Amino acid sequence: MSLDPPPYLGSLQNNIRQRPIPWDGAARAGTITEAQLAKIRAVDKVKRELRKQIVEGDLDGYRILFIGEPGTPGVLESARQRSDVVQYILVLLGDLLEGVPALAKALFKDSDPYQHFLPLLARSNNSEDPIPLLTSNVLTTLMANSRDESKATENALPLVLSYLCGLVKNSNDAGLQDIAVMQYSSLLYGRSSRQLFWKQRSETVAPLIDVLRKAAGIGGESSASLWSGNATTRSGGFEGLSGGVGLQLLYHVLLVLWQLSFEAEEVGDDLNDEYDIVLLYTQLLRLSPKEKTTRLLLSTLYNLLEANPSTLLPTAVLARLPALLQNVSGRHLTDPDLLEDLDKLKEMLEEYQKTKTTFDEYVAEVQSGHLRWSPPHRHQIFWAENARKILEYENGEIPRKLADIMKKPWENDKAVLAIACNDIGCLVREVPEKRYQLEKLGLKARIMELMQDSDENVRWESLRALGGWLKYSFENN
């Protein structure tokens, strides 16, 4: 997938191409050799077709020009003291890698071509120094065009990803963010690169999720606000109004996560557990103003749900995705791929909803980590029929998950604590002989703590839950 370079990078490269470099003086000073100068002049400022013909006719010579060979340093090494020459050579190499695909593979005649570039990537922390940015562009193009999966690439890719991560985190410069995200996209060309990208997800994925959360209008709020329906969304949508995210950056972030979703079977559950991806994408889909963003949202959701139906379909229902898909169907959409994914998603969710039970809904809600006052919580018949099943499900997984939920303070959504107290109280009431199982998880102690909570509803529900414990304790005495 070829994307036009971001405006900032394209402008930087054009400015460097137009700079006059005193090549003859550089050769006389020993900065470059006469042989290197001859090869540079042969392809510098000539038509693209001629340049391609020259390089393809001398791939070995141009490999030696840029990365050298034993006893013959490459031009980047010999000119390392001349910043202007290094910048020019990096732009020239980037152009050649784009225009002459065979050059990328030729550079790998050296067992580790990256050793000549990685020092430049770490050369400076000064954001005004263009050399690290130009180097990352060269490395990205080299990896993407060669589709190399050697040990050398496996070792170099994490360093490139870490550099790009620093650009994404620079939230004050949308231009740099977009460059980094587009380079991410170029790098996710195969399974091994996607796996390495996911392995570094605290650096790579987490900042992208932050961009999407900002685009969804939830900013620093917890996902709990979305589960409860209390999220404050901007009227400006994605168009960059009211501190929002620009549509171009948003599209590229969605593109990267769509590429990652091809590893959905491996990453889907963790992606949802760690980042609430199904809920976030449902919110983004609700706001999406363009077909191209809608297409990526639907396709990513389909990849995730199709690969992880038992865990993510229940979450999608809780996030009210089925109803939203009906709404999306009413939009004027023309893209055939989009319409196909929309139909497949609707069909998948409809089939799931035909077979799911109220118990399945409850389990999915607890597993999501976000409780809301859905019907089962207040339904006495539900608890009478399912309390024992809940305690025994997957060797006590649900009580353990409730304990994990209750450990958090939930400052932005105290209702979660009130609901959890309600549920524990119902379990004790219906299956009193199992209350010691709940005590071992620290639930009784936590409920006693919550009787002092600042929220009136939490105090009331914790008091009701503790009342069940006291009732059966007195009866047994």
Side-chain angles (χ1 to χ4, degrees):
M1 183 177 299
S2 178
L3 298 171
D4 292 333
Y8 174 80
L9 180 59
S11 174
L12 174 64
Q13 291 168 326
N14 283 333
N15 287 339
I16 292 171
R17 289 186 192 103
Q18 292 166 14
R19 289 177 191 168
I21 302 291
W23 292 114
D24 291 320
R28 285 194 298 272
T31 301
I32 60 174
T33 67
E34 291 291 346
Q36 289 171 337
L37 177 56
K39 290 200 178 298
I40 292 169
R41 279 183 164 156
V43 295
D44 188 30
K45 295 180 174 62
V46 300
K47 290 183 178 180
R48 186 175 301 179
E49 296 79 9
L50 178 59
R51 172 184 281 179
K52 186 173 187 288
Q53 183 180 343
I54 291 170
V55 175
E56 286 180 339
D58 189 13
L59 287 171
D60 214 39
Y62 279 91
R63 174 184 62 80
I64 294 169
L65 169 66
F66 291 111
I67 64 177
E69 62 179 356
T72 305
V75 67
L76 288 171
E77 182 180 348
S78 59
R80 62 184 179 275
Q81 301 301 326
R82 286 282 302 274
S83 178
D84 59 336
V85 174
V86 170
Q87 290 176 36
Y88 198 94
I89 293 299
L90 287 171
V91 172
L92 177 63
L93 177 54
D95 291 342
L96 293 180
L97 288 170
E98 284 284 3
V100 191
L103 179 60
K105 289 191 178 294
L107 294 182
F108 280 93
K109 188 173 180 181
D110 184 313
S111 61
D112 185 6
Y114 302 110
Q115 62 183 310
H116 308 281
F117 300 102
L118 291 175
L120 296 175
L121 194 65
R123 165 187 168 118
S124 171
N125 291 324
N126 179 6
S127 61
E128 299 298 317
D129 185 352
I131 287 179
L133 183 62
L134 295 171
T135 303
S136 77
N137 182 62
V138 165
L139 288 169
T140 297
T141 309
L142 174 61
M143 290 177 179
N145 286 3
S146 67
R147 293 293 196 268
D148 181 74
E149 295 189 356
S150 67
K151 190 68 177 177
T153 297
E154 186 179 331
N155 291 334
L157 181 56
L159 300 176
V160 178
L161 293 176
S162 292
Y163 170 76
L164 296 176
C165 154
L167 299 185
V168 177
K169 288 182 176 177
N170 183 1
S171 57
N172 294 324
D173 193 329
L176 289 178
Q177 283 185 313
D178 201 38
I179 291 170
V181 174
M182 288 182 71
Q183 289 187 13
Y184 278 160
S185 180
S186 297
L187 291 169
L188 298 185
Y189 51 80
R191 187 170 191 198
S192 61
S193 61
R194 291 192 290 264
Q195 288 173 330
L196 285 169
F197 184 82
W198 176 247
K199 188 176 180 180
Q200 286 180 247
R201 59 187 176 275
S202 62
E203 285 187 299
T204 56
V205 176
L208 300 184
I209 296 295
D210 288 340
V211 172
L212 293 184
R213 290 171 63 82
K214 185 178 178 185
I218 57 177
E221 299 174 37
S222 70
S223 294
S225 60
L226 284 179
W227 282 114
S228 62
N230 294 327
T232 54
T233 55
R234 298 184 311 273
S235 60
F238 294 153
E239 296 295 341
L241 305 177
S242 305
V245 174
L247 191 58
Q248 177 173 284
L249 175 59
L250 173 74
Y251 175 76
H252 292 146
V253 170
L254 292 176
L255 179 64
V256 168
L257 292 176
W258 171 72
Q259 291 172 274
L260 182 62
S261 75
F262 284 96
E263 306 304 321
E265 190 171 341
E266 181 178 336
V267 311
D269 282 339
D270 287 337
L271 192 59
N272 196 57
D273 288 345
E274 296 174 30
Y275 305 113
D276 276 321
I277 193 74
V278 172
L279 178 66
L280 176 58
Y281 267 52
T282 302
Q283 176 72 354
L284 289 166
L285 183 59
R286 183 174 288 113
L287 301 173
S288 178
K290 301 288 184 181
E291 276 205 15
K292 66 179 185 177
T293 52
T294 301
R295 180 177 63 243
L296 287 173
L297 289 163
L298 287 171
S299 184
T300 304
L301 281 170
Y302 178 76
N303 289 346
L304 292 172
L305 299 183
E306 195 264 342
N308 304 275
S310 62
T311 51
L312 299 189
L313 282 174
T315 304
V317 172
L318 280 170
R320 303 177 182 86
L321 180 58
L324 177 60
L325 293 179
Q326 294 299 328
N327 177 280
V328 172
S329 297
R331 300 177 189 174
H332 181 63
L333 302 170
T334 59
D335 184 282
D337 292 333
L338 183 161
L339 292 169
E340 181 182 354
D341 284 334
L342 177 59
D343 288 341
K344 289 191 296 186
L345 262 177
K346 287 166 63 178
E347 182 180 346
M348 188 191 307
L349 285 159
E350 286 168 5
E351 286 299 315
Y352 168 73
Q353 288 183 293
K354 287 177 185 176
T355 59
K356 74 180 178 65
T357 64
T358 308
F359 175 78
D360 296 327
E361 287 184 24
Y362 178 77
V363 169
E365 183 177 338
V366 174
Q367 288 175 333
S368 76
H370 302 274
L371 305 179
R372 56 189 178 87
W373 282 118
S374 55
H377 298 287
R378 292 294 202 193
H379 203 296
Q380 189 171 343
I381 296 175
F382 169 80
W383 290 106
E385 293 177 348
N386 292 288
R388 189 174 299 275
K389 189 176 176 182
I390 287 169
L391 289 168
E392 295 173 354
Y393 178 81
E394 297 290 343
N395 295 316
E397 178 189 332
I398 300 304
R400 288 194 299 273
K401 185 64 178 178
L402 286 170
D404 290 342
I405 291 171
M406 292 183 72
K407 287 175 184 175
K408 301 176 184 178
W410 295 99
E411 295 296 344
N412 294 323
D413 194 359
K414 289 288 188 177
V416 174
L417 290 174
I419 297 164
C421 288
N422 169 83
D423 292 4
I424 298 302
C426 291
L427 291 172
V428 171
R429 183 184 70 240
E430 296 297 335
V431 197
E433 69 274 18
K434 295 285 189 178
R435 64 187 184 279
Y436 300 109
Q437 173 187 343
L438 303 175
E439 288 180 22
K440 286 179 183 177
L441 295 172
L443 286 164
K444 182 179 180 181
R446 177 58 173 150
I447 284 172
M448 292 177 71
E449 289 177 5
L450 292 174
M451 291 176 66
Q452 309 300 319
D453 194 85
S454 60
D455 185 89
E456 179 181 356
N457 291 325
V458 174
R459 293 197 302 272
W460 169 246
E461 295 296 345
S462 61
L463 179 62
R464 289 180 66 237
L466 188 62
W469 251 295
L470 296 177
K471 172 186 174 184
Y472 293 108
S473 296
F474 289 140
E475 287 181 358
N476 288 344
N477 292 334

